[in-house]
Amino acid sequence: MGTTSFWDILVWSFWFFIWIAALTVYFRCLFDMFGDHSLSGWAKAGWAILMIFLPWLGAFIYLIARGRSMAERQMARMAEQQAAQQEYIKQAAGTTSTPAAQIADAKALFDSGAINQTEFDSLKAKALA
C-alpha cells in the first residue's frame, strides 16, 4: 500500500469539484425545464428523455438551446418573489397607501392620546414626504 501524494489529493479534489459543478448544472436544467410553463408536455417529455439517457450531453444542449430564457425566467421569478415580499411587508406593517389615510391614522392616534403633538407632526411630515 503506497502513500498518497499531495498531487493525488489535488487531482481528486479537482475531479470532486468538477463532479459537483456538473450535478449543479444538470439539476438546474431539470428544475428549469419542469418549472417552465411555456413548454408543452410533449416538449418536457422530449427534454426529459434526452436528459435521462444522455444526461450531460442533454444538459449541455439544453443550456445552448434555452440558456438565455433560463436567465429571463429566473429574473421574472425573483421579481415576483420580491413583489410578494414587499406586499407582505406592507400588509404586516399595516401601512396605508395614501398620505391622506396615513395622516388620518396619525390623527386618530393623536386624538386617542397615544402620541403627542410632536409625534403627530413627525408622522404627518413623513406622510407628506
Side-chain angles (χ1 to χ4, degrees), residues 31-96:
F31 291 145
D32 181 73
M33 177 185 63
F34 287 113
D36 184 8
H37 301 293
S38 66
L39 274 178
S40 69
W42 288 105
K44 287 179 184 180
W47 279 112
I49 288 170
L50 180 65
M51 285 204 233
I52 288 170
F53 290 111
L54 299 170
W56 309 121
L57 182 63
F60 185 67
I61 293 170
Y62 188 87
L63 285 174
I64 291 171
R66 300 183 46 87
R68 182 179 306 258
S69 61
M70 283 176 69
E72 291 167 357
R73 281 188 297 280
Q74 180 68 21
M75 294 300 289
R77 278 193 292 269
M78 287 174 48
E80 288 173 9
Q81 288 176 349
Q82 187 175 15
Q85 181 182 18
Q86 291 298 324
E87 183 61 32
Y88 173 75
I89 290 171
K90 284 181 183 178
Q91 182 183 12
T95 59
T96 54

